[in-house]
């Protein structure tokens, strides 16, 4: 339709539109006169603007990008625009008949907008005093721009705002927008058939988002479904947005925040109201792409849009689309933190959305750990759940030069942290028996944090003291395995060896008959190094002995265990006894006697 109008004007005013070979000038003039050419009946009284009843417009409106950055608002399509700060922008549309329903919706994205809607009457006939000659183009342009028109509605803010009228008069409508805070994106939708269109999902009678469950790291949300899905049978999905700053009033605002650093949100260059693609759609070629057809331009635009629409997720802002469910649990939140939650109903057919009334909630605090007081020189047993933690406190009664922490991890390795008056002094992994000696400080208080294993529950013994005394737990060699000599194995005896230390200790050997199918899982249950000989039957005891060696290479001892039955499996254990009566068990060893000798 526009192409047709341009041709007519060219024939009537060849001196006005004779662009000849000056292609850049041609683009400038086309851009300058585009709005007037589209909006005014230039030469034929019967010539109309594109409406939704015209076949050509129906074809064009399928490609919403056709109207990108144009000054025309198509009937029944949402357009996107960009405003530079303090630079107003005007959009136009025509209502052809009186008493026409009209709905205009403006959606600010990332900044408040000021906008107003005005009405101007269209000239019924072109002047020329009966000569049949239309008015010069400049006079028609000035006629539109000089008339202020009647203001119908104005708004200032960042809400999605509506202008609705059931019987609007015919005329030229002008929508003027301005952003006084910053450069910003926005969306505009206008229709003369609001009852039948309904592209935006309708909110239920209660549009609030409710918090139905609240935990330390989870929040469960619920909302009433939109009637658009059940009554109008339109495809609807819900998108949930979570952030720590504020509620959002539109998905447009969410996407503006998510894409703030992306190319999608980069401002168009000032002064370039049209891209080569815009001209290609209206029947013109750009200077550099005159030989390229419209299909190539469409393909190029599609590729660019796909690239631009790729978003970078931000850690403090999440958008999750969950289908048509109206209950959703948000997980992996931080304890004792305030979050804002918004729900948007999105029409999958039109990709337009409506915001529910958002809510906010603060997650619960971490459960306060009970702090266990350690007594100077006394061993304390500690049990920690899988992936759990325990806090201990040690406050020496008198001033001290050093403080010693002795730890015996019974099962898997555990993590220990020691802080003195808030300052981190120690952070280590402990497996078996370890001793840590730290420099003391008068009236200092020590906080010990013990973190369990990821594999399972943890057990340990810990002693803290500011006095000089012998370690409660016996020292251990680096290798706590028991070695069996296969060549010395008989039908009634086995010979084993184990390593010792430079410290004289007492070692006790125990045996227990087990099944041939004794599994690794059963063996693992026997690996609790904190279970002492007092848990064993007296009949299982083989012997006790003392030994040590100043030369670590010679700190090894052997023992032959007799009186065994042929072809039987036995589990052998070695316990080393400490000075305070606390024992540590070596790794268990299962060995089988020979069946035939």
């Amino acid at each position: 339709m526009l192409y047709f109008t341009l041709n007519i004007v060219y024939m009537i005013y060849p001196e006005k539109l004779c662009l000849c070979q000056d292609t850049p000038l041609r683009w400038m003039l086309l851009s300058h006169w585009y709005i007037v050419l589209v909006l005014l009946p230039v030469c034929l009284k019967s010539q109309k603007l594109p409406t939704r009843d015209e076949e050509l417009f129906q074809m064009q409106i399928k490609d919403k990008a056709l109207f990108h950055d144009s000054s025309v608002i198509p009937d029944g399509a949402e357009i996107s625009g960009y405003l530079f700060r303090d630079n107003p922008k005007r959009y136009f549309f025509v209502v052809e008949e009186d008493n026409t329903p009209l709905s205009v919706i403006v959606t600010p994205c990332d900044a408040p907008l000021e906008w107003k809607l005005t009405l101007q009457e269209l000239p019924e006939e072109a002047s020329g005093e009966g000569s049949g000659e239309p008015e010069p183009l400049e006079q028609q342009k000035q006629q539109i721009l000089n008339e202020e028109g009647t203001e119908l509605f104005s708004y200032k803010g960042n809400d999605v705002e509506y202008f609705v009228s059931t019987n609007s008069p015919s005329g030229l409508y002008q929508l003027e927008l301005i952003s006084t805070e910053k450069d910003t994106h926005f969306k505009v939708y206008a229709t003369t058939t609001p009852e039948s269109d309904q592209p935006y999902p309708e909110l239920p009678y209660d549009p609030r988002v409710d918090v139905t469950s609240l935990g330390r790291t989870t929040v469960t949300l619920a909302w009433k479904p939109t009637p658009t899905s059940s009554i109008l049978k339109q495809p609807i999905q819900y998108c949930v947005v979570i952030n720590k700053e504020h509620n959002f009033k539109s998905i447009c605002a969410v996407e503006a925040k998510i894409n703030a650093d992306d190319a999608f949100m980069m401002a168009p260059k000032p002064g370039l109201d049209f891209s080569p693609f815009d001209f290609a759609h209206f029947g013109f070629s750009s200077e550099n792409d005159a030989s390229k057809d419209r299909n190539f331009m469409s393909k190029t635009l599609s590729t660019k849009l796909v690239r631009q629409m790729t978003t970078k997720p931000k850690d403090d802002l999440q958008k999750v689309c969950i289908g048509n469910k109206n209950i959703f649990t948000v997980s992996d939140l931080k304890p004792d933190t305030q979050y804002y939650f918004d729900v948007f109903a999105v029409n999958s057919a039109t990709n337009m959305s409506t915001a529910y009334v958002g809510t906010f909630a603060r997650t619960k605090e971490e459960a306060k750990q009970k702090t266990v007081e350690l007594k100077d020189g006394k061993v304390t047993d500690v049990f920690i759940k899988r992936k759990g933690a325990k806090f201990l406190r040690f406050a020496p009664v008198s001033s001290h030069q050093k403080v010693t922490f002795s730890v015996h991890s019974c099962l898997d390795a555990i993590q220990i942290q020691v802080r003195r008056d808030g300052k981190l002094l120690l952070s280590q992994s402990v497996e078996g028996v370890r001793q840590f000696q730290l420099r003391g400080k008068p009236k200092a208080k020590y906080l010990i944090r013990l973190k369990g294993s990821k594999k399972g529950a943890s057990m340990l013994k810990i002693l803290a003291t500011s006095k000089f005394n012998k370690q409660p737990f016996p020292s251990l060699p680096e290798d706590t395995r028991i070695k069996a000599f296969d060549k010395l194995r008989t039908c009634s005896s086995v010979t084993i060896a184990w390593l010792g230390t430079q410290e004289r200790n007492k070692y006790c050997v125990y045996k227990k008959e087990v099944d041939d199918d004794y599994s690794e899982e059963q063996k693992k249950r026997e690996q609790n190094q904190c279970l002492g000989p007092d848990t064993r039957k007296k009949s299982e005891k083989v012997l006790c002995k003392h030994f040590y060696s100043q030369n670590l290479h010679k700190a090894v001892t052997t023992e032959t265990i007799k009186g065994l039955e042929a072809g039987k499996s036995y589990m052998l254990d070695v316990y080393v006894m400490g000075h305070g009566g606390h024992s540590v068990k070596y790794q268990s060893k299962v060995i089988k006697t020979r069946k035939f000798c």
Side-chain angles (χ1 to χ4, degrees), residues 15 23 59 117 163 184 228 235 348 378 401 430 441 596:
E15 73 279 6
T23 306
M59 177 194 72
L117 184 67
F163 168 80
T184 183
T228 302
S348 302
K378 183 178 180 182
Q401 293 183 341
V430 176
K441 188 177 181 180
F596 303 101

Side-chain angles (χ1 to χ4, degrees), residues 106-347:
V106 177
T107 304
C109 291
D110 47 350
L113 296 179
E114 297 180 32
W115 62 273
K116 66 178 179 178
L117 184 67
T118 57
L119 169 64
Q120 296 172 341
E121 292 185 3
L122 286 174
E124 296 188 1
E125 293 190 26
S127 63
E129 298 180 355
S131 65
E133 295 291 331
E135 291 180 348
L137 204 55
E138 181 64 25
Q139 294 181 21
Q140 295 186 31
K141 174 174 180 278
Q142 291 301 325
Q143 183 179 354
I144 286 294
L145 298 180
N146 291 340
E147 293 181 4
E148 292 186 3
T150 304
E151 184 174 309
L152 303 177
F153 183 80
S154 64
Y155 173 75
K156 180 179 180 180
N158 60 355
D159 283 330
V160 179
E161 193 57 52
Y162 300 73
F163 168 80
V164 180
S165 175
T166 56
N167 52 355
S168 297
S170 61
L172 175 65
Y173 286 76
Q174 174 182 290
L175 176 66
E176 181 177 302
L177 307 100
I178 186 171
S179 172
T180 59
E181 287 193 8
K182 64 177 182 176
D183 301 348
T184 183
H185 288 75
F186 64 91
K187 293 180 182 292
V188 175
Y189 174 81
T191 180
T192 56
T193 55
E195 291 297 326
S196 59
D197 282 2
Q198 297 187 354
Y200 296 95
E202 182 182 349
L203 289 176
Y205 67 91
D206 182 1
R208 294 174 298 179
V209 178
D210 295 319
V211 175
T212 60
S213 177
L214 188 65
R216 291 190 296 273
T217 59
T218 61
V219 173
T220 300
L221 308 170
W223 57 92
K224 293 178 173 58
T226 168
T228 302
S229 177
S230 57
I231 299 176
L232 299 180
K233 306 300 181 183
Q234 293 187 10
I236 296 294
Q237 72 165 338
Y238 298 100
C239 293
V240 181
V241 174
I242 309 105
N243 80 105
K244 299 178 184 178
E245 295 181 6
H246 55 76
N247 289 107
F248 288 93
K249 299 179 180 179
S250 67
I251 278 191
C252 173
V254 175
E255 291 173 346
K257 181 72 172 178
I258 292 176
N259 297 287
D261 300 324
D262 286 4
F264 179 70
M265 299 306 296
M266 288 176 63
K269 294 180 180 179
L272 297 181
D273 292 332
F274 295 93
S275 68
F277 173 77
D278 296 318
F279 287 109
H281 268 277
F282 284 110
F284 294 92
S285 302
S286 71
E287 183 178 4
N288 298 326
D289 300 305
S291 62
K292 299 182 181 179
D293 59 16
R294 175 173 171 169
N295 290 335
F296 179 79
M297 295 296 293
S298 300
K299 182 178 179 181
T300 302
L301 179 76
S302 299
T303 304
K304 184 173 71 172
L305 287 178
V306 170
R307 182 173 65 252
Q308 289 174 340
M309 289 294 285
T310 303
T311 62
K312 296 179 183 177
K314 293 183 178 292
D315 294 337
D316 57 347
L317 176 62
Q318 299 179 55
K319 175 187 168 189
V320 184
C321 295
I322 61 171
N324 58 6
K325 298 183 296 182
N326 63 324
I327 297 177
F328 182 67
T329 298
V330 186
S331 56
D332 297 326
L333 302 177
K334 293 183 179 179
D336 194 26
T337 304
Q338 182 156 303
Y339 289 90
Y340 295 84
F341 305 96
D342 292 288
V343 173
F344 299 92
V346 182
N347 188 325

Side-chain angles (χ1 to χ4, degrees), residues 38-49:
V38 173
L39 297 178
L40 296 180
V42 176
C43 55
L44 297 178
K45 183 177 179 180
S46 60
Q47 176 67 39
K48 294 181 179 179
L49 294 165

Side-chain angles (χ1 to χ4, degrees), residues 480-495:
T480 59
R481 292 176 298 174
I482 300 173
K483 179 177 174 58
F485 298 95
D486 186 66
K487 291 183 179 181
L488 301 178
R489 188 167 52 97
T490 69
C491 293
S492 60
S493 67
V494 294
T495 300

Side-chain angles (χ1 to χ4, degrees), residues 536-547:
R536 306 294 296 263
K537 296 179 181 179
K538 289 184 178 181
S539 58
E540 295 175 354
K541 183 176 181 180
V542 178
L543 60 90
C544 289
K545 61 186 291 189
H546 290 80
F547 92 94

